[in-house]
Structure formats: C-alpha cells, structure tokens
C-alpha cells in the first residue's frame, strides 16, 4: 500500500520526465561548472608559458580546499530535500575538529576510537536536533540556530577556549602519524585524501538517493509533507535520520578539517553553513524541498571552489570575490525560478 | 591502537623527510628562505596574506604595507584576506605559491594551521616574513612583531605607578578567549601589577569588539559598582566600556586600551579626546616588513630572524604628536 501511494506523489525531478530543456536546468550547476572551468583556463595567469590554473598542484588544491564544504553540502542537500535547513553544521565542524584534536592528543585515543567517538557525537547531535524538530514541532531553522550556538559553546568549553595543536608521534600527547595523512598534500602523489573522502561521501549519497525506499520518502516529504504522511511515509523517523546524517557528515568534515590543519579550532567552521547552503542552491536544489540532486551539489561546491581559486590567482580583491560569488548564488536561484515555467 | 602500520610508516617517512629539511636548513641562516633572485634591477611580486581585514588594526597593517611599498618601484604587492578562517588562509598561501611570488608576508590567523603552508613556501625558496602572530617552528625568514607580554606589563606598571598607586579594584575586558594576544596581554598585566594592591575583581571576554565590550562593561559595573578603573585589551572594547561607564553615571572612570591605531576612529584620537585615559601602541609592522623585503630582494642582504617592535605609552599629552608622527606628517 505504501509503495503504490508514494509512487503517485509529485516527483518532478526524477530523471527521464522531461526533454532537453529540463535536463539543462536539472544539471545547471554541471554546465555552470564547465563554463567557469573554461573561463578559469582562459583567464589563468601563466608562468613560463604554462597556465598556472591547470597546474596539477593547483587543481588538487581546489578540490582539497572545497572538500570540507563539499561534505557539509552533501548532508545539507538531504536536509534541504525534506524542506528543512541545518544551520548548525559549521559549529558542529568546529566541535568535531576540537574533539578529534583533544581525543587524539590529550586523551591519547587511537585513530579509530577517536574518529568513531567524534562521528558518534555528530550523529547524536543531528539526531537530537531532528528529534526536537519533529517532536516539539519547532521549525528546523530555529532548532538548528540553537544547535549552532550550543555546538559552538561545547567546542569552546571542551577546548578550554584555546585551539588544540596536533603533533604526531608515539609519545604521550601525540596523535598517531596515520592521522597526518589527511594533511599531506596527496595520497600516492595523486589524489588529496580529503577530496577522496568527499567523493566517497558524495557517491554514497548518490546511491542512497537513487535506489532506496528511503530516497522516495525523502523526495515525498519535501514535495508535500502532508501527502507523504497520509500515504504512510514515516515522516518523523525519516526526518530524524536525515538530520542525524547531516550531523554525522558535519563531524566527518570536522575530522578532515582537523587533519588538514593539524589543529582543532573552537572558532573554526563559522559561516561554513552558509557556504554549504550556497553550494546546494547553486547545485539547483530547491530550498522549498523535494527537488534536487547530490550531483548538482558536488558541481555547485566545485564551481565555487574553481571560481574562488581563479579570482585568487588573479589577485581579485577579496571583497570583490564575495560580491562575485554572491551574484552567482542569485543567478543560480534565479534560474531555478525560471525552471517550472519552461519545463511545463 | 595504532592499527594501520603501513599508513603510519608512510606518514612517518613523510614526516621525517619534512623534519630533515627543517633541521638542516635552520642552522644555515636562511639558505632555504633565500630568494632565487635579488638586485635593484628586478621586478618583484610580494604576496601579503592577512588573517582578517575586518579588524581595523589589520586593515591598517595592509595600508601601512601598501604605503611603504609605493615608495619601492620594484615592488608589486598582492593582498589576500582570510576573513579569520584558517582553511581559507592556507588556501590563499598555496595560491601565492602557485603564482610563484618572490616574497611572502603573512600575518597568520593561528600558528599551527599556517605552519605547514608557510614551510612549503619557505622550502620553495620564497622568503617569508611573519607579522604580528608567529608560526610554529623556525621555517620562516623573519618574525616582525610587538611583544604583547611586554605591552601588558607596561600597562600594569602604569596602573601601579600612575593610575592607582595606592591600589584598588579594577575590571578587565579581555580579547577573544583562546587568542594568544588576549592571554599575553593578561599575563603581562599580572606581572606589571605584581607587588601592588591592585586587584582584578571582574574579568569578561569582549572578543575585541566595541559592542561586546560595552555589554560586558555594563555587567561588570552593575556587579561591581566600586571598581576604580577598567583595563581593556584593546581600544575598541575600551570605547565601548566608556559608553557603559557614562550610562552607569561613572563618566570619569579611568579606562585604558591597547593598539593606538593612528586613524580617525582609532585609540590615539580616543585618548586625545579623553575617552581613554591611556593606550599602548601596538605597531602593525607594515612599514618594517617592507623595509625587510627591500633589504632581502633589492639589497640582497640578510635580515635578523626576529625584530621586536617597541611599544609606547600614549596619554593626552603625546596623543596628537604620536598621531601626526605615525601618519608621516
């Protein structure tokens, strides 16, 4: 019964429903990414006859630097797909980075236990937020706004207000050296590990959103929550799990962050929630919920990364950079508004 | 516990290799940080990586660098603003390395996260001048900055000898919790007031911000109406405290700051107008950095590893003169 009814729910964004134009809009961020990439090649400064932007070190740098935002944005995509928002992810990233640093150095935990504890904290934090949203009927915006403050407070308390430096070795107070791999430039001289983690996370999310019943539930809730509930979708449970996943990914991003910087910063990750939301919006996911894709988000995150990189390489003033990226967000959102009209 | 032996071994090798480079070169007096080219007939691009340009102090640092570099025809300076974000600053330093700049000036947001990228630049033969806040280790060419402990100590001594020679209760407005200057300005102050009867009866974090300083001073004054002065870790919080003091009917409460920025909205003008009883100069080092860059790139000389900039007590008597002097008139 459940199966039959959920299948009849509005499902505009699944593939194969509309023509070429719809495909264009559906993958607007992919096209945007290609355009920005071409522009970056064209406007790349050159040294000794070689384009600086295309230098492999530089390209890796782009992917590596966007990997944390990318991981956050994947979790944010799920939340936004159910019509929610999570403002706490930046603070949870800070909390997790502090947690990883403290557990690895001061508490002398091994790599695996420390990572598991931090991930559990992120998951628990997200689940609690989801529980508060669904059980007390408070808006996600408000709950996660509170969560943002609480996580930041916890991060500052846990670290004693100070950033925690991570040093590597076998002695007391030192983290296992394998953790430093996150901060190394590349794995096997090829792929930066943070980028690898980002890609794996994104791939898992894509699979999750393609094959499972969970995916239908997510799109159904975002499309029309009431209809979804009436047709037997376990709305409450799905919502709680989605916020839990978002918290889990924020903690993962925090671990990557700490590894990249050899440092757990209680003030780190502030405003990252907005970068993540920006990547999701540029990726074409509707803030109203029910429509969007993880592939779009990945492209959106990379688009911002490439844009920031090429502006940086051309020494564009940082205030102008903010302005340009702001305009891109507005443009992407504007394209979304155009979409329903042109599709129908 | 250390589960993946293989990974650990790879990490160890990488780490050892990295360490080897450092220790080899630290002793030789900057062979690694020595520029590939130098001389008066070259053209040089300098990358300036600023932690956060939203703070007036750091804006002024950039301005000082811009002004000083304008008088060296060989120099072009590119500025990057990390907006208080460690990751962003790492990325920006890596961008500068990609661009193959001739010299890096950096004022790091935090020491540890910026240590690796600074070392990457240094190891590539890019001279690195670290301004105001240090990095870990010694993979840089020169550190230029003031001594916050010393500034705090001088502030404490000013309280002990001038402001409250007979002792008394005071409040303290601290900078952002966990930041090095906040800790050092506090520690130095405690050293400075040692042996006096001055007692800090209330201390709150004002995060370096004027409005936060006002709120916290408000609370301090309500809880401790008998305090006799407020020691603020910077001028903007001190200005906020002045408003709180006026509102509490304590318009004459002595308040001191630190920074002494020579701009219209800065501490020197506040001291001149009597809103602050005193401030302690915290020089930006911008001019000194360009001087050092000129010695390295244009004159092909070495610079000292550490250059500590002196502070100065600024009161109503010398505020106007100091303002004029720092703005080069």
């Amino acid at each position: 019964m459940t199966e039959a009814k959920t299948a009849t729910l509005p499902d505009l964004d699944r593939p194969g429903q509309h023509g070429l134009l719809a495909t264009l809009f559906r993958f607007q961020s992919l096209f945007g990414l290609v355009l920005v990439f071409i522009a970056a090649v064209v406007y790349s400064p050159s040294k000794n006859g070689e384009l600086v932007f295309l230098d492999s070190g530089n390209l890796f740098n782009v992917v590596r630097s966007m990997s944390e935002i990318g991981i956050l944005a994947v979790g944010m995509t799920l939340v936004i797909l159910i019509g929610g928002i999570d403002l706490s992810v930046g603070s949870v990233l800070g909390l997790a980075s502090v947690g990883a640093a403290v557990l690895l150095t001061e508490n002398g935990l091994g790599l695996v236990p420390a990572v598991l504890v931090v991930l559990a904290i992120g998951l628990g934090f997200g689940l609690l937020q989801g529980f508060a949203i669904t059980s007390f009927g408070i808006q996600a915006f408000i709950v996660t706004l509170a969560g943002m403050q609480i996580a930041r407070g916890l991060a500052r308390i846990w670290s004693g207000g100070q950033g925690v430096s991570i040093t590597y070795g076998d002695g007391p107070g030192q983290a296992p050296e394998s953790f430093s791999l996150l901060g190394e430039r590349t794995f096997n001289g090829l792929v930066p590990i943070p980028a690898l983690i980002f890609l794996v996370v994104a791939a898992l999310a894509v699979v999750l959103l393609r094959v499972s019943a969970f995916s239908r539930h997510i799109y159904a809730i975002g499309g029309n929550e009431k209809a979804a509930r009436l047709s037997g979708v376990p709305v409450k449970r799905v919502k709680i799990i989605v916020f839990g996943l978002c918290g889990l990914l924020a903690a993962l991003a925090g671990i990557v962050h700490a590894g990249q910087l050899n440092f757990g910063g209680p003030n780190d990750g502030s405003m990252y929630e907005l970068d993540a939301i920006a990547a999701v919006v540029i990726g074409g996911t509707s803030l109203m919920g029910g429509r969007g894709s993880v592939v779009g988000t990945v492209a959106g995150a990379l688009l911002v990364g490439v844009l920031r990189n090429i502006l940086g390489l051309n020494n564009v003033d940082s205030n102008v950079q903010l302005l340009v990226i702001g305009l891109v967000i507005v443009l992407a959102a504007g394209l979304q508004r155009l979409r329903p009209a042109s599709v129908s | 516990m250390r589960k993946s032996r293989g990974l650990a071994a790879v990490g160890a090798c990488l780490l050892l290799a990295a360490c080897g480079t450092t220790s080899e070169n630290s002793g030789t007096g900057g062979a690694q940080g020595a520029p590939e080219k130098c001389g008066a007939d070259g053209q040089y691009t300098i990358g300036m990586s600023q932690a956060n340009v939203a703070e007036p102090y750091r804006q002024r640092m950039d301005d000082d660098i811009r002004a000083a570099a304008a008088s060296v025809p060989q120099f072009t300076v590119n500025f990057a603003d990390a907006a208080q974000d460690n990751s962003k600053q790492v990325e920006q330093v890596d961008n500068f390395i990609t661009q193959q700049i001739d010299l890096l000036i950096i004022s790091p947001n935090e020491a540890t996260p910026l240590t690796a990228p600074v070392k990457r630049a240094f190891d590539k033969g890019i001279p690195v001048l670290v301004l105001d806040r240090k990095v870990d280790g010694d993979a840089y060419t020169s550190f230029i900055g003031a001594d916050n402990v010393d500034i705090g100590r001088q502030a404490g001594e000013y309280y002990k000898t001038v402001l409250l020679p007979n002792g008394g209760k005071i409040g303290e407005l601290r900078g952002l919790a966990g930041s090095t200057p906040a800790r050092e300005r506090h520690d130095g102050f405690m050293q400075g007031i040692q042996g006096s009867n001055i007692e800090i009866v209330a201390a709150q974090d004002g995060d370096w911000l004027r409005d936060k300083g006002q709120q916290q001073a408000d609370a301090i004054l309500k809880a401790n109406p008998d305090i006799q002065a407020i020691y603020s870790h910077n001028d903007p919080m001190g200005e906020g405290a002045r408003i709180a003091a006026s509102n509490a009917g304590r318009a004459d409460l002595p308040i001191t700051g630190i920074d002494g920025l020579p701009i219209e909205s800065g501490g020197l003008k506040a001291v001149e107008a009597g809103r602050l009883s005193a401030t302690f100069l915290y020089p930006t080092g911008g001019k000194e950095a360009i001087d050092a860059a000129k010695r390295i790139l244009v004159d092909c000389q070495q610079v000292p590893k550490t250059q500590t900039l002196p502070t100065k007590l600024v009161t109503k008597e010398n505020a106007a003169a100091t303002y004029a002097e720092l703005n080069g008139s």
Side-chain angles (χ1 to χ4, degrees):
Chain A
M1 175 189 150
T2 311
E3 289 296 303
K5 287 206 174 166
T6 40
T8 63
L9 285 169
D11 204 1
L12 292 175
D13 205 50
R14 306 307 286 277
Q17 300 245 343
H18 308 291
L20 181 67
L21 199 58
T23 315
L24 263 174
F25 275 113
R26 189 175 142 74
F27 294 109
Q28 63 176 44
S29 55
L30 269 180
F31 292 108
L33 176 60
V34 172
L35 284 182
V36 170
F37 195 91
I38 293 171
V41 173
V42 172
Y43 289 105
S44 166
S46 57
K47 278 266 172 180
N48 311 324
E50 285 183 17
L51 294 178
V52 168
F53 172 75
L54 286 178
D55 176 73
S56 65
N58 185 55
L59 289 180
F60 288 144
N61 196 20
V62 172
V63 191
R64 188 192 53 76
S65 67
M66 278 317 288
S67 53
E68 292 163 23
I69 298 294
I71 295 169
L72 292 182
V74 168
M76 188 71 78
T77 307
L78 301 180
V79 169
I80 289 179
L81 277 176
I82 60 165
I85 194 96
D86 189 342
L87 300 180
S88 71
V89 291
S91 302
V92 173
L93 181 146
L95 173 64
S97 78
V98 164
V102 171
L103 291 174
L104 285 170
T105 58
E106 288 167 28
N107 298 353
L109 253 64
L111 184 64
V112 174
V115 165
L116 287 180
V117 169
V118 172
L119 290 180
I121 290 171
L123 176 68
F125 198 88
L127 289 175
L128 271 178
Q129 290 192 130
F131 183 75
I133 290 159
T134 52
S135 297
F136 307 134
I138 317 170
Q139 283 162 341
F141 185 92
I142 304 298
V143 170
T144 58
L145 184 66
M148 171 177 160
Q149 318 275 350
I150 292 168
R152 185 65 67 201
L154 288 173
R156 293 200 183 146
I157 292 167
W158 200 356
S159 62
Q162 315 260 355
V164 183
S165 297
I166 303 175
T167 52
Y168 298 99
D170 271 328
Q174 291 182 312
E177 264 142 18
S178 42
F179 192 65
S180 73
L181 280 177
L182 279 175
E184 297 298 338
R185 313 304 297 149
T186 55
F187 179 63
N188 286 342
L190 254 170
V191 187
I193 292 181
L196 205 64
I197 295 175
F198 167 39
L199 291 178
V200 169
V201 163
L204 287 176
V206 167
V207 171
L208 178 79
L209 280 184
R210 288 228 174 244
V211 299
S212 65
F214 191 62
S215 144
R216 272 199 306 282
H217 293 165
I218 285 177
Y219 282 101
I221 293 172
N224 186 336
E225 187 175 332
K226 204 173 166 189
R229 188 180 298 118
L230 291 174
S231 49
V233 173
V235 172
K236 227 174 162 177
R237 197 172 68 206
V238 171
K239 276 190 159 180
I240 292 176
I241 293 173
V242 165
F243 276 96
L245 284 176
C246 191
L248 177 78
L249 289 181
L252 179 64
I255 292 168
V256 172
H257 186 79
Q260 290 211 56
L261 299 178
N262 299 331
F263 186 74
N267 301 317
D268 281 13
S270 66
M271 307 276 277
Y272 279 27
E273 56 279 344
L274 299 185
D275 285 345
I277 294 170
V280 175
V281 169
I282 292 170
T285 295
S286 162
L287 278 179
M288 311 299 291
R291 227 175 44 192
S293 67
V294 170
V295 176
T297 297
V298 172
L302 289 175
L303 190 155
V304 174
V306 172
L307 199 57
R308 206 191 268 163
N309 179 255
I310 191 65
L311 292 173
L313 288 181
N314 281 303
N315 303 309
V316 173
D317 181 80
S318 56
N319 299 326
V320 177
Q321 291 192 28
L322 285 177
L323 198 141
V324 171
I325 291 171
L327 287 176
V328 168
I329 296 172
V330 172
L331 184 73
L335 280 174
Q336 274 186 51
R337 281 197 60 80
L338 281 177
R339 174 159 70 168
S342 22
V343 164
S344 63
Chain B
M1 178 165 131
R2 268 103 181 142
K3 217 180 139 196
S4 36
R5 283 270 153 216
L7 284 188
V10 173
C13 291
L14 289 169
L15 208 76
L16 283 178
C19 289
T21 340
T22 326
S23 50
E24 262 169 43
N25 289 300
S26 58
T28 60
Q32 203 68 22
E36 280 172 12
K37 52 169 185 172
C38 65
D41 50 351
Q43 282 296 319
Y44 306 101
T45 306
I46 296 172
M48 167 62 200
S49 169
Q50 182 58 271
N52 179 25
V53 89
E55 289 168 50
Y57 169 79
R58 297 180 170 279
Q59 178 67 59
R60 175 69 191 201
M61 187 192 283
D62 278 8
D63 288 346
D64 285 348
I65 288 173
R66 204 171 278 122
S71 62
V72 185
Q74 291 94 335
F75 284 175
T76 313
V77 187
N78 296 331
F79 292 86
D81 167 25
Q84 242 176 336
D85 185 332
N86 293 322
S87 295
K88 206 170 188 176
Q89 194 163 22
V90 171
E91 187 188 339
Q92 289 170 345
V93 172
D94 279 333
N95 275 357
F96 279 144
I97 298 174
T98 307
Q99 288 175 304
Q100 301 172 29
I101 52 165
D102 299 297
L103 182 138
L104 173 68
I105 307 177
I106 180 170
S107 191
N109 190 47
E110 298 267 6
T112 310
L114 272 307
T115 300
V118 161
K119 186 174 183 315
R120 278 200 284 279
F122 188 70
D123 287 347
K124 287 220 157 146
I126 300 171
V128 183
L129 306 176
V130 182
L131 278 195
D132 175 36
R133 294 185 199 163
K134 290 188 170 149
V135 292
D136 300 334
D138 56 2
Y140 57 86
T141 311
S142 177
F143 169 77
I144 302 171
D147 180 347
N148 274 308
V149 176
D150 182 55
I151 289 176
R153 190 185 301 118
Q154 292 200 30
E157 276 160 9
Y158 176 70
Y159 275 73
K160 187 161 74 177
T161 54
V162 180
L163 218 44
L164 296 169
N166 301 320
K169 296 176 176 176
I170 64 167
E172 180 182 16
L173 282 176
R174 295 180 179 161
L176 185 69
S179 66
T180 325
R183 193 175 59 240
E184 293 176 344
R185 286 174 187 188
H186 168 78
D187 292 349
F189 189 79
M190 296 310 284
Q191 292 172 19
I193 60 171
Q194 213 165 38
S196 73
N197 288 320
I198 296 169
E199 187 192 355
I200 299 176
V201 292
Q204 292 291 340
D205 298 329
D207 298 359
W208 306 118
L209 301 171
R210 177 191 280 246
D211 55 347
K212 197 86 188 282
Q214 183 188 345
Q215 286 167 26
Q216 301 287 29
D218 235 7
I220 289 177
L221 283 163
K222 284 215 173 71
N224 308 278
D226 57 337
I227 57 165
Q228 288 158 273
I230 290 181
Y231 164 55
S232 165
H233 284 191
N234 78 352
D235 295 335
M237 292 191 296
E239 293 253 38
R242 170 61 61 208
I243 298 168
S246 300
N247 292 344
R250 305 278 317 264
D252 58 344
L253 185 77
I255 299 171
T256 64
I258 291 177
D259 276 356
L261 275 191
I263 57 175
E264 272 304 319
S265 58
L268 293 183
K269 287 287 182 190
V271 171
E272 197 182 334
R275 295 193 298 276
L276 296 179
S277 308
T279 188
F280 296 83
L281 271 200
Y282 186 65
T284 66
K287 186 182 164 298
E288 288 80 1
I290 291 298
D291 286 346
K294 186 163 172 287
R295 258 188 293 167
I296 294 168
L297 293 174
V298 179
D299 306 335
C300 296
Q301 288 174 2
Q302 291 208 355
V303 292
K305 190 86 185 179
T306 301
Q307 191 179 341
T308 307
L309 304 172
T311 185
K312 176 171 155 189
L313 167 66
V314 179
T315 59
K316 203 157 187 166
E317 284 76 50
N318 62 354
T322 309
Y323 187 92
E325 181 195 331
L326 288 173
N327 282 298
S329 55

